[in-house]
Amino acid sequence: MKVLVTVKEVAAVDDEFEIDGLTIDDRYVTADLNEWDEYAVEAAVQIREAGDDVEVVGVTIGDADTEETIRQALAKGVDRAVRVWDDALADAGLLDPETKARVLAAVAAEEDPDLVLTGVQSADDGFGATGVTLAEKLGFEWAAVVNDLDLDRDAGVAHVHRELEGGVEELTDVELPAVLTIQTGINEPRYASLRGIRQAQSKELTEYTLADLGLDAGDVDSPLEQTSLYEPESEGDATVFEGSAEETAAELAGVLRDRGVGQ
Amino acid sequence: MTVLTVAEHRRGELRDVSRELLTAGRQVADATGGELHAAVVGGDVKAFADDLNRDGVDRIHTVDDGAEFNHDVYTQVVTQLAEAVDPDLLLLPNSVNGLDYAPAVASRLDRPLVTDAVGLSMGEEPTVTRELYGSKVETTIDVHAERAVVTVRPAEWPAAEGTGDATVEPFDAEIDESAVRSTVTGFEEVGGGEVDITDADVLVSVGRGIEEEENLDLIFDLADALDATVSASRPIIDNGWLEKDRQVGQSGKVVTPDVYIAIGISGAVQHVAGMKGADTIVAINTDPNAPIFDIADYGIHDDLFEVVPALIEEFR
Ligand SMILES: Cc1cc2nc3c(=O)[nH]c(=O)nc-3n(C[C@H](O)[C@H](O)[C@H](O)COP(=O)(O)OP(=O)(O)OC[C@H]3O[C@@H](n4cnc5c(N)ncnc54)[C@H](O)[C@@H]3O)c2cc1C
């Protein structure tokens, strides 16, 4: 059995930052493995550990700088990984879910997985749609926002819980092959061990261009164009207390006492 | 131009976002002198259609298929309906279920998809406003296509009101049963533990800013001093540091205490969904740009490890 897990390097923005045209200046950005993907990786590795004929392959769309992030996934137990990048992708600007899914589907066509795990969303652009779009492209079944997974390989069914709003979970049976988008909290992602980190350095990381996958620049020509980026005006009118911690705490204490708190 | 919205319901109830979609849809339809259509799939479609018949809705399509949401059915129905109505804009909820079928519909219709819209306008082409990096910045996106699918963030637009005079008509979708490869087998309520955070007058709520599990002691000390209950944002629960009952937000509990003190919580939309109804909101956060300050009444831009001990001192 093969599990394909999609991973993405995401950008976290510092408390103070400057906008430079349509992006945030690099100085204020820290790269990390997407939080939701960490849980997807863990779910994949747990499936591998539960059966002895399972291979877990990671895939990312990202430039050479994202290799470090991919190695994080390899260090946590992903067997090998694929990274797709070339000039056309670099020039493509905003990659919408359809475009990303097209590239990932081409990788899936090579790998022929039984199960694909993605994060529910990425922490930076938050589209939340790549997994289901990918399923549709592959003709796979799917489930979005999965927070519990019980895989019955013999029956070819994934019994999942989908986390709905308001503390309600939907119990669903999904036929394989399938794409599941994984929600945080489904498991406890492991830390990479020192041994894992060392091993990750020698694990296979295949680099593909679009041409290697039978795609060209036209396939990553997204219909979405980002036309502005700005800090939203604060809608709030919060009273902000200034001063030392003692001073602000004293002012807040006054407000709280006025509201009958702590009495 | 024509806008088509698709309502959402669960366990017999129309969800709020259904009527919010109508407001968003009416707004763009008005700007272009267009028509607003709404659809509801499954459940008690007659009752749902009544509820959707609000000011400014021109037509309501009812599809009598199943009691509950099944994405394989929804994908087929909404695709067929969109092909029949041919809306310029198909508006779907950016809910958990919306995200479980909207991408498939957009893909089948071969129309661009933009999710989680917080703003929407329609000129020659649609323009959508979205947030990035956990709401720290906003971006506008021009969709270079005449027709698009957009999912709309819940609670961004007010719910449509008034009574409309829409034409209600059934739509017959042809369901290919062999393409229904997922089965919803039931629902489960989570929680039901010992603490009821929905009952508390004062909540001291803690987020990822607390850093370590041991540091939660500080939060419990504050709660003691204030005679308050401890609640939390999702990462604290995901880490297993507190039980699920204490999670505030979209997938946790909706709380309406007199006072809500958000400590080291950024104010992600899914968190805010659970606490914006509190009477007085206080935020303690080192990041002055954290979106929690947009809804806070009182704020302190400082390190919680400095402010919280000082606050405990105040109440000793
Ligand atoms: C489908 C779905 C459902 C979800 N449901 C929920 C839900 O029900 N509830 C929920 O909460 N989330 C939910 N989320 C997750 C949500 O998107 C956020 O990831 C989460 O709310 C972030 O929690 P946080 O604010 O504690 O952490 P972060 O966003 O990491 O924020 C931590 C904050 O702490 C501040 N901070 C750091 N150090 C300090 C310090 N020393 N002193 C003061 N401040 C400090 C930082 O400036 C930052 O603002 C859901 C997500 C999805 C996709």
Side-chain angles (χ1 to χ4, degrees):
Chain A
M1 175 174 193
K2 196 187 277 185
V3 181
L4 187 67
V5 56
T6 65
V7 289
K8 182 182 172 191
E9 180 179 287
V10 293
V13 175
D14 293 349
D15 290 356
E16 304 287 341
F17 60 89
E18 282 168 40
I19 291 174
D20 179 10
L22 293 175
T23 54
I24 291 178
D25 199 288
D26 275 350
R27 282 175 294 163
Y28 308 103
V29 169
T30 322
D32 206 352
L33 178 57
N34 181 36
E35 185 180 356
W36 281 266
D37 297 349
E38 294 217 29
Y39 291 83
V41 164
E42 180 63 32
V45 172
Q46 286 185 9
I47 292 169
R48 212 260 326 278
E49 288 169 348
D52 40 34
D53 55 344
V54 183
E55 187 185 27
V56 178
V57 181
V59 53
T60 197
I61 304 171
D63 64 18
D65 290 345
T66 63
E67 185 173 325
E68 218 176 303
T69 300
I70 293 301
R71 296 264 178 220
Q72 278 183 47
L74 291 169
K76 291 180 190 212
V78 169
D79 295 308
R80 62 184 173 82
V82 172
R83 181 171 71 78
V84 188
W85 197 248
D86 63 11
D87 290 346
L89 277 162
D91 293 341
L94 179 67
L95 294 182
D96 69 323
E98 177 73 20
T99 310
K100 281 183 260 191
R102 202 174 291 144
V103 174
L104 295 171
V107 174
E110 296 259 311
E111 296 288 348
D112 194 22
D114 305 280
L115 184 66
V116 182
L117 302 181
T118 76
V120 162
Q121 62 174 24
S122 47
D124 48 7
D125 64 21
F127 269 106
T130 304
V132 175
T133 311
L134 176 61
E136 184 59 28
K137 289 238 157 305
L138 294 172
F140 282 19
E141 192 41 40
W142 72 86
V145 193
V146 167
N147 72 344
D148 191 70
L149 167 60
D150 170 17
L151 193 64
D152 183 343
R153 288 177 58 186
D154 294 333
V157 176
H159 305 283
V160 305
H161 290 205
R162 295 183 52 238
E163 185 189 75
L164 305 179
E165 294 86 355
V168 178
E169 295 182 2
E170 180 199 274
L171 281 53
T172 305
D173 290 346
V174 180
E175 284 179 22
L176 300 186
V179 178
L180 308 178
T181 82
I182 301 296
Q183 172 67 314
T184 61
I186 187 176
N187 53 37
E188 229 176 284
R190 69 194 68 191
Y191 288 100
S193 64
L194 275 178
R195 192 162 149 260
I197 294 170
R198 227 179 308 120
Q199 282 176 343
Q201 292 311 317
S202 54
K203 284 186 179 172
E204 187 185 326
L205 178 56
T206 314
E207 290 164 22
Y208 284 131
T209 62
L210 289 177
D212 293 333
L213 296 166
L215 301 172
D216 59 35
D219 290 309
V220 294
D221 191 11
S222 164
L224 308 189
E225 185 191 356
Q226 188 188 330
T227 50
S228 73
L229 188 73
Y230 52 91
E231 274 187 73
E233 291 208 3
S234 170
E235 295 147 23
D237 48 4
T239 304
V240 176
F241 301 124
E242 315 265 354
S244 68
E246 285 69 30
E247 288 161 350
T248 55
E251 294 213 56
L252 177 56
V255 167
L256 294 176
R257 281 197 195 95
D258 283 348
R259 282 163 179 67
V261 177
Q263 285 163 9
Chain B
M1 65 162 280
T2 306
V3 180
L4 171 63
T5 73
V6 181
E8 176 162 314
H9 58 87
R10 185 183 308 148
R11 299 158 111 186
E13 305 243 4
L14 205 61
R15 303 197 68 233
D16 293 344
V17 70
S18 309
R19 287 203 285 131
E20 296 161 13
L21 284 169
L22 297 177
T23 305
R26 191 62 250 169
Q27 197 185 310
V28 269
D30 272 348
T32 56
E35 280 197 13
L36 175 62
H37 293 223
V40 59
V41 184
D44 187 353
V45 290
K46 279 212 178 62
F48 293 147
D50 278 348
D51 202 347
L52 291 169
N53 200 342
R54 304 282 168 175
D55 260 349
V57 181
D58 296 298
R59 204 167 277 271
I60 299 171
H61 308 271
T62 58
V63 187
D64 210 348
D65 250 306
E68 288 291 346
F69 176 80
N70 173 299
H71 67 228
D72 294 313
V73 173
Y74 263 61
T75 302
Q76 294 188 46
V77 168
V78 176
T79 305
Q80 287 171 34
L81 186 60
E83 276 162 351
V85 174
D86 195 25
D88 300 76
L89 214 49
L90 174 59
L91 294 186
L92 306 176
N94 198 77
S95 56
V96 171
N97 281 347
L99 288 174
D100 197 40
Y101 80 99
V105 169
S107 196
R108 274 182 208 188
L109 293 171
D110 199 18
R111 293 180 191 181
L113 169 70
V114 189
T115 59
D116 206 17
V118 298
L120 201 56
S121 67
M122 189 83 194
E124 293 276 292
E125 294 180 335
T127 299
V128 183
T129 309
R130 309 181 73 243
E131 295 181 346
L132 289 178
Y133 309 112
S135 305
K136 282 195 176 177
V137 293
E138 265 181 23
T139 182
T140 46
I141 291 181
D142 282 359
V143 185
H144 297 306
E146 281 172 12
R147 289 168 163 55
V149 182
V150 175
T151 69
V152 170
R153 177 178 291 184
E156 273 302 304
W157 277 266
E161 300 198 2
T163 320
D165 53 3
T167 317
V168 179
E169 56 190 19
F171 177 80
D172 270 330
E174 270 179 50
I175 307 297
D176 172 5
E177 292 295 338
S178 70
V180 179
R181 291 169 290 158
S182 70
T183 317
V184 178
T185 58
F187 294 94
E188 210 169 274
E189 223 82 41
V190 287
E194 269 142 49
V195 223
D196 185 2
I197 59 170
T198 62
D199 212 27
D201 295 330
V202 183
L203 283 174
V204 170
S205 207
V206 58
R208 183 142 49 193
I210 198 71
E211 287 170 13
E212 307 275 344
E213 185 170 11
E214 299 82 77
N215 298 338
L216 283 178
D217 290 348
L218 186 63
I219 302 300
F220 278 97
D221 286 349
L222 177 63
D224 264 353
L226 301 181
D227 195 15
T229 303
V230 173
S231 60
S233 69
R234 178 164 188 133
I236 304 298
I237 285 56
D238 284 343
N239 285 345
W241 297 351
L242 287 176
E243 31 328 347
K244 178 95 188 162
D245 288 58
R246 294 193 195 250
Q247 182 178 317
V248 172
Q250 175 188 308
S251 46
K253 296 267 168 62
V254 175
V255 296
T256 50
D258 299 335
V259 177
Y260 187 86
I261 309 178
I263 303 174
I265 293 177
S266 64
V269 54
Q270 297 94 348
H271 183 78
V272 168
M275 45 67 75
K276 59 177 187 296
D279 268 351
T280 300
I281 298 171
V282 178
I284 303 171
N285 196 308
T286 41
D287 178 3
N289 295 311
I292 190 79
F293 290 115
D294 287 346
I295 58 155
D297 300 291
Y298 297 93
I300 297 177
H301 301 163
D302 202 352
D303 189 340
L304 74 91
F305 296 106
E306 305 276 328
V307 177
V308 174
L311 196 54
I312 295 172
E313 252 343 280
E314 286 288 331
F315 285 88
R316 276 257 159 79

